[in-house]
Amino acid sequence: MELGPRWSPAARPGCPRRWRRRWALLGALLGAALALYVCVRELRRRGSAAGRPEGEVTVLLWWEPFGRPWRPADCRRRYNITGCLLSADRGRYGEARAVLFHHRDLALHGAQGLPRGPPPRPPRQRWVWMNFESPSHSPGLRGLAGLFNWTMSYRRDSDVFVPYGYLYEPPSPRPFVLPRKSRLVAWVISNWNEEHARVRYYRQLKEHLPIDVYGARGMALLEGSVVKTVSAYKFYLAFENSQHTDYITEKLWKNAFAASAVPVVLGPRRANYERFIPADSFIHVDDFPSPRLLATYLKFLDKNKPSYRRYFAWRNKYEVHVTSFWDEHYCKVCEAVRTAGNQLKTVQNLAGWFES
Ligand SMILES: *[C@@H]1O[C@H](CO)[C@@H](O)[C@H](O)[C@H]1NC(C)=O
Ligand SMILES: *[C@@H]1O[C@H](CO)[C@@H](O)[C@H](O)[C@H]1NC(C)=O
């Protein structure tokens, strides 16, 4: 009875009530600190699980190719390549493990458009020179010596080799069905130049064989309809705009192979093609002493189904991958950075190498 009133706040106002407030305040502060600690830990944990995982690498695109706005690819979802942050935000320069420089834009902006400190070039960062045009169409190669650490191109001896396409062996290939062929030879050309070997060859070949020409100088072709259109033809003229080591473009991979037309190629030598595709998957203009004899052979194949079909024998084993610009390239660089060691490298003679 006595204690009750003594310890009741009403009975003893003043001291006990002040203490209760202080304890309450202290408790609240401790609670808040604990909550903050748990929260930060949780965020960190989540961050390393999804947002910025341990070992994630930033790949910075210095210029968006051809100045087109771009949305970074999800390398994991599209190519099963994890741990990549692709960005065109130059604010990430300091953290970037690789910086990509597209040659066309580099030629446009000049070397003074390259990053210049501060901040200084991070020691582990790799500058990657990226080019998918041939040397004939790559102005300004001189003056780029000693700047880059890696090359990325269609050349097999690039640091990051990204061809325009490739064949692969799927675990269980889909049975190949040859599309119905009602036409003979197709050619799609947008950049018509009388000086090009391909135009000169075409002029001779068409004297002996009908050729359907599509593009700027020929029949109109709807955007995205190349494969469908060409699939009605038995042969496709996969003529490159210039002849250089490993320079084998979508003219072969997409316009001919993806359309299931037999490629008649004009580009590097046959042996160079055979590094990438089976010898019996294509016809090389060099296989014949003259355009007239090539025409004779194509007309023979047109009338001789078993011989024509032999050009598709490889399809029982391989399927065609056509490389997609540019996401696949960026993701490949990321993968290369992630799997590379720490060895330093500088590309000294860029022009000499690329033109060889
Ligand atoms: C993705 O990559 C991982 C590791 O490289 C591999 O084990 C897995 O089989 C791949 N998944 C697919 C669907 O290719
Ligand atoms: C990249 O090249 C520069 C210029 O030669 C060089 O200083 C740097 O050490 C190289 N970095 C790497 C990671 O190879």
Side-chain angles (χ1 to χ4, degrees):
M1 281 244 339
E2 272 184 13
L3 286 179
R6 245 177 111 195
W7 290 98
S8 86
R12 303 207 43 190
C15 193
R17 181 179 275 178
R18 242 189 358 257
W19 276 105
R20 272 171 59 114
R21 275 211 219 104
R22 281 189 192 162
W23 280 115
L25 193 65
L26 199 62
L29 278 173
L30 274 172
L34 188 70
L36 192 69
Y37 169 72
V38 169
C39 192
V40 164
R41 234 184 43 164
E42 172 65 8
L43 276 177
R44 277 226 187 116
R45 197 191 58 76
R46 268 196 232 167
S48 59
R52 302 298 311 276
E54 193 82 358
E56 182 181 71
V57 306
T58 298
V59 172
L60 174 63
L61 188 59
W62 194 248
W63 291 291
E64 291 165 321
F66 306 105
R68 285 190 212 123
W70 157 79
R71 268 188 45 210
D74 182 340
C75 297
R76 189 186 56 78
R77 205 166 51 80
R78 289 198 53 191
Y79 306 109
N80 193 26
I81 297 171
T82 54
C84 305
L85 179 83
L86 308 181
S87 176
D89 173 7
R90 291 187 183 184
R92 293 191 182 275
Y93 178 71
E95 74 182 55
R97 292 280 301 283
V99 188
L100 304 187
F101 302 96
H102 182 225
H103 182 75
R104 180 69 62 90
D105 298 284
L106 179 60
L108 207 66
H109 294 91
Q112 64 273 17
L114 293 170
R116 277 174 301 176
R121 188 165 165 174
R124 286 220 300 165
Q125 186 176 81
R126 289 182 166 107
W127 286 17
V128 184
W129 179 80
M130 173 169 85
N131 188 21
F132 289 88
E133 296 293 338
S134 79
S136 299
H137 296 89
S138 304
L141 283 172
R142 324 258 140 207
L144 299 179
L147 279 174
F148 300 99
N149 304 105
W150 278 358
T151 56
M152 170 163 69
S153 84
Y154 59 80
R155 277 187 70 122
R156 202 167 60 163
D157 56 1
S158 304
D159 297 288
V160 187
F161 167 49
V162 187
Y164 277 82
Y166 55 84
L167 302 184
Y168 63 98
E169 286 182 58
S172 47
R174 279 170 288 164
F176 175 70
V177 181
L178 187 64
R180 249 177 60 83
K181 304 281 180 185
S182 54
R183 297 167 173 195
L184 197 57
V185 186
W187 189 30
V188 178
I189 174 163
S190 49
N191 172 19
W192 189 285
N193 184 334
E194 293 292 340
E195 304 289 300
H196 285 172
R198 62 182 179 183
V199 172
R200 282 184 271 129
Y201 199 95
Y202 158 78
R203 289 205 175 284
Q204 296 180 298
L205 187 62
K206 82 171 170 61
E207 295 302 315
H208 309 285
L209 189 77
I211 299 171
D212 287 353
V213 179
Y214 293 88
R217 289 281 188 103
M219 292 178 266
L221 201 55
L222 291 177
E223 178 108 10
S225 67
V226 175
V227 168
K228 189 164 170 288
T229 304
V230 173
S231 67
Y233 288 85
K234 288 192 171 164
F235 304 99
Y236 182 79
L237 303 185
F239 287 5
E240 301 299 348
N241 64 23
S242 49
Q243 288 67 56
H244 298 278
T245 309
D246 297 347
Y247 187 61
I248 300 170
T249 69
E250 81 292 340
K251 293 167 183 66
L252 176 93
W253 298 107
K254 180 176 164 225
N255 300 14
F257 276 172
S260 303
V262 173
V264 177
V265 305
L266 185 158
R269 298 193 174 285
R270 170 172 270 279
N272 197 167
Y273 279 91
E274 290 182 12
R275 282 199 219 151
F276 303 101
I277 56 178
D280 60 359
S281 66
F282 68 101
I283 296 165
H284 199 296
V285 297
D286 292 352
D287 297 343
F288 300 88
S290 71
R292 184 177 63 80
L293 289 171
L294 169 61
T296 305
Y297 182 63
L298 297 184
K299 284 189 272 192
F300 159 78
L301 289 178
D302 183 34
K303 296 282 173 276
N304 196 312
K305 210 163 182 177
S307 299
Y308 178 71
R309 285 204 65 104
R310 274 205 277 283
Y311 282 93
F312 298 92
W314 59 276
R315 302 234 179 203
N316 297 326
K317 189 166 165 199
Y318 298 106
E319 285 187 14
V320 180
H321 173 85
V322 180
T323 302
S324 133
F325 279 83
W326 290 86
D327 289 342
E328 195 167 344
H329 302 73
Y330 305 149
C331 294
K332 281 273 158 65
V333 168
C334 171
E335 185 178 43
V337 170
R338 288 183 44 108
T339 54
N342 289 322
Q343 68 276 32
L344 305 178
K345 178 181 176 180
T346 301
V347 182
Q348 294 301 352
N349 188 5
L350 182 71
W353 163 73
F354 194 60
E355 286 171 351
S356 66

